[in-house]
Amino acid sequence: MTKAQAAKIERLTRKNDPDATKENILKIATEEFVAAGFSGARVDEIAERTKTSKRMIYYYFGSKEGLYLAVLEQAYTKIRTLESELDLENMPPVQAMAQLIASTFDHDDQNPDFVRLVSIENIHRAEHMKRSVVLSQMNIAVIDIITDILERGYADGSFVRRVDPVDLHMMISAQCFFRVSNRHTFGAIFERDLSSEALKKRHKSLIVDAILAFLRHPSFEMI
């Protein structure tokens, strides 16, 4: 098969399967934004790597910012979907909370690109994210999940400390996020390989135990 014939087949495939084309663009765009940030990533480079065109990318996503938001939305959709599929509502509250924390830990550990994208958006002070209705609505789901677990835990006495669900979500995210976002600097300073399986297992247990202990112990205001 000649290069011209191969190129023709690729063009026909893209035309007949736009969903696959969009998915491939998102995959490559994710790699570009992770590597170069929003400002440094180039749509021309994404078009070249996906064998599409800048015009086609703008047709699907509207603009560079539209493509970047689509990448962010896909990344957040992955973790929110994962949480919704854990069947937490049918677990006892302590088990459900432990499973949610462990799942967050595993997701962040296995998806460093997600951590990098969130860090990049924080550099931009969430100016892009604030324009996404999808992201603002999507992330309400995890707060509903945490609220349900907490209320069931208060009802059966498993949890004692009253805590705002958003604050608890921040605690869980912070603990799991930090060891990925700072693994290189933290590892260099303390000569620890945070990617080692032994450390990952220990850290996961530490984070789950610490947050469950926090919920089971009254606050200083209650003592």
Side-chain angles (χ1 to χ4, degrees):
M1 182 184 295
T2 66
K3 289 185 178 180
Q5 290 172 326
K8 183 177 181 180
I9 290 173
E10 285 182 1
R11 287 195 299 271
L12 290 172
T13 300
R14 290 196 298 268
K15 181 178 180 180
N16 295 330
D17 194 352
D19 290 338
T21 301
K22 289 174 67 175
E23 189 63 30
N24 186 47
I25 291 171
L26 285 171
K27 177 180 178 296
I28 299 303
T30 298
E31 295 174 4
E32 290 293 323
F33 286 125
V34 165
F38 174 75
S39 300
R42 295 287 178 263
V43 177
D44 286 332
E45 179 68 18
I46 296 169
E48 182 177 345
R49 289 187 60 193
T50 55
K51 295 182 173 59
T52 56
S53 66
K54 196 171 183 178
R55 181 178 179 181
M56 178 178 287
I57 290 173
Y58 286 165
Y59 172 78
Y60 283 130
F61 300 100
S63 62
K64 179 182 178 180
E65 182 182 24
L67 176 59
Y68 174 68
L69 278 177
V71 166
L72 279 175
E73 289 168 1
Q74 185 182 64
Y76 273 97
T77 296
K78 183 175 181 179
I79 187 171
R80 298 289 89 95
T81 301
L82 174 65
E83 291 160 350
S84 69
E85 293 175 348
L86 293 174
D87 196 33
L88 300 176
E89 64 273 16
N90 292 315
M91 298 179 190
V94 172
Q95 180 186 354
M97 188 63 73
Q99 183 62 44
L100 177 63
I101 299 165
S103 176
T104 304
F105 181 99
D106 289 339
H107 170 272
D108 288 0
D109 181 73
Q110 296 164 14
N111 294 275
D113 283 358
F114 170 79
V115 173
R116 174 69 175 160
L117 284 169
V118 174
S119 298
I120 289 168
E121 185 58 8
N122 272 289
I123 291 173
H124 291 278
R125 301 183 180 183
E127 64 184 41
H128 308 100
M129 186 178 288
K130 289 173 184 176
R131 297 171 192 156
S132 172
V133 176
V134 172
L135 285 172
S136 63
Q137 293 177 343
M138 180 192 305
N139 288 299
I140 294 173
V142 68
I143 304 306
D144 291 339
I145 289 172
I146 292 174
T147 299
D148 175 71
I149 297 172
L150 285 174
E151 291 303 324
R152 291 192 291 115
Y154 296 141
D156 72 4
S158 298
F159 302 141
V160 174
R161 185 186 295 255
R162 292 279 171 174
V163 59
D164 181 277
V166 176
D167 289 348
L168 185 58
H169 176 53
M170 180 186 70
M171 284 182 63
I172 296 170
S173 298
Q175 296 284 343
C176 298
F177 192 94
F178 175 89
R179 67 178 310 282
V180 181
S181 65
N182 291 52
R183 65 172 46 169
H184 299 296
T185 51
F186 195 86
I189 292 169
F190 297 105
E191 298 183 350
R192 294 283 179 90
D193 180 8
L194 271 66
S195 65
S196 77
E197 291 303 319
L199 270 184
K200 283 194 284 188
K201 183 178 180 180
R202 192 168 86 207
H203 289 170
K204 186 195 292 190
S205 177
L206 186 153
I207 293 169
V208 171
D209 289 349
I211 293 175
L212 290 179
F214 169 81
L215 292 172
R216 288 165 161 164
H217 194 279
S219 67
F220 289 115
E221 294 177 356
M222 297 171 63
I223 297 175

